[in-house]
Amino acid sequence: LAAREALLGASHLEVLASLNNLATTLAAMGRLWDAEPLLRRACATKEDALGLSHPSTLISLNNLAALLRSQGKLEEARHLLQRVLACKESSLGPDHPSTLTSVNNLALLLKASGKLADAEPFLQRLLKAGEDEIAKPQHDTLIFLSNFASLQRCMGRNEEAERLHRRVLVGRLTLSGPD
């Protein structure tokens, strides 16, 4: 990393990619506190050099949010995920698959934070966006449906959770075929 930085400069895309990759590798190794400053640096530099709406910046911000969630810094992670979502909604539109992935990430963080009522509208939004897909299931739609079913269970709505999990099961069996 240091050699690349000396050769190319601190804000070169290859250096920033190396920073992000090293940080995510350290995080995967459980070295969350070593990874955090690298990801923060990558995010700040990408935002300055490329802008907030650049896909590479958004990926790094999402990676930082995931790291912060792993560290238990849920409010800071929520703030980052909200920024990523707002940017994707304005640049890609509310129903773009990448936007919906960000909606899912935020909903799962809210659920993990114990903010079940706050998570519910986001998961409902995912279901509404994928309503056409539920009849002919797609992998992402089934993940969103399963997440919503899990939220219903956490909220004590067990009958609804069961109904939704059964839909997920039927959808997964449909996707996998008769074997």
Side-chain angles (χ1 to χ4, degrees):
L1 177 63
R4 268 190 155 176
E5 196 169 357
L7 179 65
L8 301 171
S11 62
H12 191 278
L13 287 180
E14 288 185 31
V15 172
L16 296 174
S18 294
L19 262 177
N20 187 74
N21 293 341
L22 176 58
T24 56
T25 299
L26 290 170
M29 295 169 56
R31 296 173 56 189
L32 306 177
W33 305 106
D34 292 332
E36 184 181 352
L38 297 176
L39 268 177
R40 286 187 184 282
R41 182 174 152 207
C43 289
T45 307
K46 284 181 179 184
E47 195 167 343
D48 288 344
L50 304 172
L52 177 60
S53 63
H54 192 280
S56 184
T57 303
L58 296 173
I59 289 168
S60 290
L61 287 169
N62 193 71
N63 290 345
L64 179 57
L67 176 78
L68 293 170
R69 178 181 174 177
S70 296
Q71 292 175 322
K73 299 177 180 179
L74 302 180
E75 279 304 306
E76 188 176 358
R78 180 188 56 77
H79 174 72
L80 285 175
L81 290 176
Q82 287 173 325
R83 284 182 69 206
V84 169
L85 176 58
C87 187
K88 286 184 179 181
E89 285 174 330
S90 68
S91 64
L92 300 174
D95 295 325
H96 188 278
S98 184
T99 303
L100 296 176
T101 297
S102 292
V103 170
N104 188 57
N105 291 345
L106 181 56
L108 293 178
L109 177 76
L110 290 167
K111 181 182 171 219
S113 301
K115 297 178 179 178
L116 306 180
D118 292 342
E120 188 171 27
F122 289 105
L123 289 170
Q124 286 174 334
R125 174 179 166 185
L126 292 171
L127 291 180
K128 185 170 175 20
E131 277 177 349
D132 295 336
E133 303 296 329
I134 291 174
K136 50 181 180 121
Q138 300 293 318
H139 180 71
D140 286 348
T141 305
L142 293 174
I143 290 171
F144 299 154
L145 186 59
S146 180
N147 290 341
F148 188 66
S150 175
L151 177 71
Q152 296 303 301
R153 186 182 68 241
C154 290
M155 296 177 84
R157 300 173 187 160
N158 294 326
E159 291 170 5
E160 178 66 4
E162 177 188 5
R163 186 184 71 74
L164 293 169
H165 278 301
R166 287 183 184 280
R167 284 177 65 187
V168 171
L169 178 60
V170 168
R172 287 190 173 145
L173 290 172
T174 301
L175 280 178
S176 65
D179 296 335

